[in-house]
Amino acid sequence: MEQKMTQAELIIFLETLAENVELKAKSGEEAAEIIRDKIERLKEK
């Protein structure tokens, strides 16, 4: 089953991700790790 996001949903997702990275990451490397971890969790669904 193919799932599609609306533009509004994508914007909300990206803003949430940005806030998460902003609060937790101390470097670009940590930011990338946070994002990649999120991708892996989403793939599991």
Side-chain angles (χ1 to χ4, degrees):
M1 180 176 153
E2 186 178 327
Q3 294 180 340
K4 293 185 178 183
M5 275 185 154
T6 65
Q7 185 175 6
E9 289 170 329
L10 178 58
I11 290 168
I12 290 168
F13 172 75
L14 290 173
E15 181 56 37
T16 302
L17 185 57
E19 289 173 2
N20 193 359
V21 168
E22 188 174 45
L23 290 171
K24 295 180 179 180
K26 307 223 181 339
S27 68
E29 208 170 86
E30 283 185 6
E33 184 178 330
I34 290 167
I35 293 168
R36 288 185 180 117
D37 286 347
K38 181 65 174 174
I39 290 168
E40 289 305 312
R41 286 194 305 274
L42 289 171
K43 283 181 181 178
E44 293 171 1
K45 290 186 178 185

